[in-house]
Amino acid sequence: MTTTIDTRAAARSSAPSAPYRVNFIRVVRSEAIKLFSLRSTWWSLGVTVLLAVGISFLVAVLTNSVPEEFRGQVPVNPMSAVTAPLQFTMLVAGILGAMAITGEYSTGMIRSSLTAEPRRGAVLLAKALVVAVTLMAVTVVTSLLSILVVTPLYSGDGFAWDDAELTWIPLAFTIIAMATFALLGLGWGFLIRNGAGAIAATVGILFVLPIVMSLFAIGGESWQWLIDLYDYLPSSAAAGLTTDPSADTLRNVIVLLAWPAAAVLGGWTVLRARDA
């Protein structure tokens, strides 16, 4: 019996250890594999591309269809056609962010993720990084495609690439905004842990809440305090940064970053406090 125990102990001690250790880079790679193995991800990204390019084309066509006598009253900036789809693609970005985590809760995969990497903050950070970088990369691609599509339509009134305030700055804020919208959805996904609930919360903040708050404009000065809060919604901040970056830039940047930061921080708190 002693010989048998000694033999097993020696076999265990001589067994080769795992050649790979879990680190943050491998956690990021794992999250990327999980995200891109979902059909919903590819559908969402495809819809984003179609919406962005299609709406940019329509805006460019409508801008160029303005009668000659009114051309002087309509400022022509081709970049506005490229950034215009943001008010629609932001919903797809937020929904994609929510689905990136709620799907794991519905299938139970989150337990495997947390078993492989017990540091829950690292899992959340890796997923947030993958989602944000993905939306930024897709926005770069869609912006380039939109620029190629709308450039021939503006003929002489081309892009003023030498004026950063008219071109590069709105384009950069569009890319950043898409990432923040996705992180907003991701944060709500961690908070609610349910796909329908997280999507409803995200769409409510990005789309429904601005409409509801704008309705109070007909209520007069008694509702002015609520109308003023409209400027502190993420969609309003993004619209301001992509249409007129010189106006209230600092406030809009803070608003745009604060909403997803609060959602992700809340998701991290819930993730640490509750069982998977």
Side-chain angles (χ1 to χ4, degrees):
M1 177 66 69
T2 302
T3 302
T4 303
I5 294 175
D6 291 342
T7 302
R8 291 177 179 176
R12 284 196 300 268
S13 63
S14 62
S17 58
Y20 301 109
R21 294 180 180 274
V22 176
N23 56 37
F24 185 71
I25 299 300
R26 291 196 171 97
V27 175
V28 170
R29 182 182 177 186
S30 172
E31 293 298 334
I33 292 172
K34 286 190 289 185
L35 181 66
F36 291 111
S37 62
L38 297 174
R39 282 182 294 178
S40 59
T41 298
W42 294 105
W43 275 106
S44 299
L45 298 180
V47 169
T48 301
V49 173
L50 291 176
L51 278 177
V53 178
I55 295 174
S56 293
F57 176 77
L58 289 176
V59 171
V61 170
L62 291 174
T63 302
N64 282 276
S65 64
V66 175
E68 290 293 335
E69 59 269 23
F70 298 110
R71 283 294 178 92
Q73 303 176 18
V74 181
V76 177
N77 179 15
M79 186 54 68
S80 62
V82 178
T83 61
L86 181 64
Q87 299 300 312
F88 300 92
T89 56
M90 66 178 182
L91 298 177
V92 184
I95 291 171
L96 175 61
M99 292 191 301
I101 180 57
T102 54
E104 289 197 42
Y105 279 107
S106 63
T107 61
M109 184 179 290
I110 186 65
R111 289 190 290 270
S112 300
S113 300
L114 298 180
T115 299
E117 174 52 278
R119 297 175 300 173
R120 299 190 173 198
V123 174
L124 184 148
L125 182 60
K127 191 176 288 292
L129 181 62
V130 169
V131 169
V133 170
T134 298
L135 265 299
M136 292 177 73
V138 170
T139 307
V140 169
V141 173
T142 57
S143 298
L144 291 175
L145 292 175
S146 298
I147 290 171
L148 292 175
V149 168
V150 305
T151 296
L153 300 176
Y154 283 95
S155 60
D157 299 316
F159 288 87
W161 295 113
D162 57 338
D163 190 339
E165 191 172 310
L166 290 177
T167 53
W168 296 106
I169 294 177
L171 183 59
F173 279 132
T174 299
I175 296 170
I176 294 172
M178 284 292 285
T180 62
F181 296 145
L183 292 178
L184 179 66
L186 181 68
W188 279 107
F190 274 106
L191 279 166
I192 299 179
R193 301 185 172 193
N194 175 269
I199 291 173
T202 304
V203 173
I205 293 173
L206 293 179
F207 186 73
V208 179
L209 193 57
I211 295 176
V212 173
M213 294 182 69
S214 65
L215 294 176
F216 285 90
I218 63 176
E221 295 183 358
S222 59
W223 294 102
Q224 187 61 43
W225 64 274
L226 188 57
I227 299 171
D228 293 338
L229 290 178
Y230 178 87
D231 294 330
Y232 293 89
L233 295 176
S235 56
S236 300
L241 290 170
T242 55
T243 56
D244 188 9
S246 61
D248 298 318
T249 301
L250 180 59
R251 183 199 67 188
N252 288 332
V253 169
I254 293 174
V255 171
L256 186 64
L257 298 179
W259 279 87
V264 172
L265 182 61
W268 175 69
T269 303
V270 171
L271 182 64
R272 290 191 61 188
R274 295 171 57 185
D275 293 333

